Structures are given as structure tokens and as C-alpha cells.
Amino acid sequence: MNIKHLQYIVEIANQQNLTRAAEQLYISQPTLSLYLNRLESELGCKLFIRHKNYLTLTPAGELYVDTARKVIQMKNNLYKQL
């Protein structure tokens, strides 16, 4: 896991849409979708419920995104201090 991948998940949660998240991250939608599928497979649980035109967080997804935001903030704080 790296910070960039945490940012991917946070952006998906923010946008609630893979296509819009991919656009914001400047990556292709298939690449982002593949990353999310692999992560969910690795974790053994779904992070998002897929609806027709949007995504919502599962309880596991809420925990993952909340923790990802904290890790990203910690990194940003560290960089500011350095």
C-alpha cells in the first residue's frame, strides 16, 4: 500500500463515481476500477456498493476511507514539518 493508492480510494469516495474519480486523478477509469477490484479482493470485503450511476461506502469502506484520510493527513503534516 502506498499513499497514492490511498488517495485513489479517498477520491472514489469523494466523487462517488469511478469515471469522475479517474478524471480527477488523471488515470484511466479501467485502471482505477482494476485497482479497486484487486484491493477489495485482497481485503476480502467490498469497500463500495455499486449502484447504476454511483457508488456508496460499505461499513468496511467507511473505516478504510477514514483511516486513509488520517494517513494522508499525517504524511502532509510530516512534509510540512520537514
Side-chain angles (χ1 to χ4, degrees):
M1 171 185 350
N2 66 44
I3 295 293
K4 180 171 62 173
H5 291 149
L6 294 177
Q7 292 170 325
Y8 288 179
I9 299 303
V10 169
E11 193 60 36
I12 295 169
N14 289 342
Q15 298 297 327
Q16 297 181 329
N17 181 285
L18 281 172
T19 301
R20 286 193 307 263
E23 289 170 359
Q24 292 296 311
L25 294 164
Y26 301 104
I27 62 173
S28 71
Q29 184 275 331
T31 298
L32 187 58
S33 182
L34 182 61
Y35 170 72
L36 177 58
N37 288 333
R38 286 183 180 168
L39 177 62
E40 289 177 330
S41 179
E42 176 185 324
L43 295 173
C45 63
K46 295 290 184 187
L47 299 178
F48 293 91
I49 299 169
R50 286 133 174 97
H51 303 278
K52 185 174 181 177
N53 294 317
Y54 65 98
L55 303 170
T56 56
L57 288 166
T58 64
E62 289 177 15
L63 178 61
Y64 194 94
V65 168
D66 182 52
T67 303
R69 286 182 173 134
K70 289 175 185 174
V71 170
I72 291 167
Q73 186 60 49
M74 289 171 60
K75 183 212 92 164
N76 292 340
N77 290 341
L78 173 62
Y79 278 36
K80 285 177 187 177
Q81 291 177 25
L82 294 176

